[in-house]
C-alpha cells in the first residue's frame, strides 16, 4: 500500500467520523428526501441553538508543483434554530490562509470558509488542519487540506 493510499484511507475515516459528529443520526436528510414532515418536526424539536454542517470537511488538492497556490471553499449550513457565529478560524501553518464572513448566519442560512494554501518551500505529502471555533454546543470543528507537493 503506497503512502498516498494509506493517507487517503485515513482521511476518508476522519471525514466519515467528522460527518457523523456534525450530522447526528442523519434522519433529517432522509426526511427531506422523502418529504416526511413528521420526521423533520421531531428532528427540529431536538435542535437547540446553532448547529453547523459542512458539505465536506476534507479537500485533497492532488499533486501540485512547489510554489503553486491552491484554494478551496468549505461550504456550510446552519441547521440549528439560532444564529451561528464563527468566532475564530485557525490553521496549522502560516502557508494556509483562511477567509470567512464574521456576520451571524441565520437558521437555515449558508456560509463559506475560503482557504488558500501556498506550497512555496513545501515538499511531499501535506496535511494542514483548519480549526473552526463557533458558538455551537460542540463548538470546535476541524477541516483538512491535503495533497502532494512535487519539487520542480
Amino acid at each position: 500500500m503506497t503512502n498516498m493510499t494509506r493517507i487517503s484511507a485515513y482521511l476518508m475515516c476522519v471525514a466519515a467520523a467528522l460527518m457523523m459528529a456534525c450530522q447526528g443520526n442523519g434522519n433529517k436528510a432522509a426526511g427531506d428526501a422523502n418529504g416526511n414532515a413528521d420526521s423533520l418536526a421531531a428532528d427540529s424539536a431536538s435542535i437547540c441553538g446553532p448547529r453547523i454542517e459542512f458539505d465536506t470537511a476534507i479537500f485533497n488538492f492532488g499533486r501540485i508543483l512547489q510554489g503553486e497556490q491552491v484554494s478551496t471553499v468549505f461550504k456550510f449550513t446552519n441547521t440549528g434554530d439560532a444564529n451561528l457565529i464563527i468566532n475564530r478560524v485557525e490553521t496549522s501553518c502560516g502557508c494556509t490562509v483562511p477567509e470567512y464572513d464574521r456576520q451571524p448566519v441565520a437558521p437555515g442560512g449558508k456560509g463559506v470558509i475560503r482557504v488558500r494554501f501556498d506550497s512555496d518551500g513545501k515538499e511531499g505529502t501535506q496535511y494542514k488542519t483548519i480549526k473552526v471555533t463557533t458558538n455551537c454546543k460542540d463548538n470546535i470543528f476541524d477541516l483538512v487540506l491535503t495533497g502532494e507537493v512535487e519539487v520542480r
Side-chain angles (χ1 to χ4, degrees):
M1 188 181 273
T2 68
N3 281 342
M4 281 304 285
T5 304
R6 284 188 192 118
I7 290 169
S8 293
Y10 171 76
L11 292 175
M12 291 181 102
C13 290
V14 170
L18 286 171
M19 300 215 34
M20 286 174 27
C22 291
Q23 294 177 353
N25 63 13
N27 287 340
K28 184 171 183 180
D32 282 342
N34 298 327
N36 186 341
D38 292 335
S39 173
L40 289 175
D43 281 344
S44 296
S46 66
I47 297 171
C48 183
R51 184 171 160 189
I52 191 169
E53 288 189 21
F54 288 92
D55 289 358
T56 184
I58 297 176
F59 175 70
N60 184 333
F61 58 79
R63 293 181 183 266
I64 62 171
L65 291 176
Q66 187 179 57
E68 290 182 338
Q69 293 186 11
V70 294
S71 60
T72 191
V73 175
F74 291 98
K75 297 177 183 178
F76 64 87
T77 303
N78 178 1
T79 59
D81 60 5
N83 282 347
L84 167 69
I85 299 170
I86 297 180
N87 297 319
R88 183 173 50 247
V89 179
E90 301 172 304
T91 61
S92 60
C93 177
C95 61
T96 308
V97 179
E99 292 179 20
Y100 62 100
D101 190 2
R102 286 158 174 78
Q103 297 300 313
V105 178
K110 297 183 180 294
V112 298
I113 298 174
R114 291 174 177 79
V115 180
R116 181 178 39 84
F117 169 72
D118 185 352
S119 68
D120 189 39
K122 304 293 181 201
E123 161 178 352
T125 301
Q126 301 297 306
Y127 184 88
K128 307 300 178 189
T129 57
I130 300 100
K131 181 167 52 168
V132 180
T133 305
T134 70
N135 65 329
C136 296
K137 180 181 173 191
D138 298 321
N139 68 331
I140 299 176
F141 302 87
D142 287 326
L143 305 173
V144 175
L145 189 70
T146 187
E148 190 78 21
V149 177
E150 296 177 348
V151 178
R152 296 179 189 239

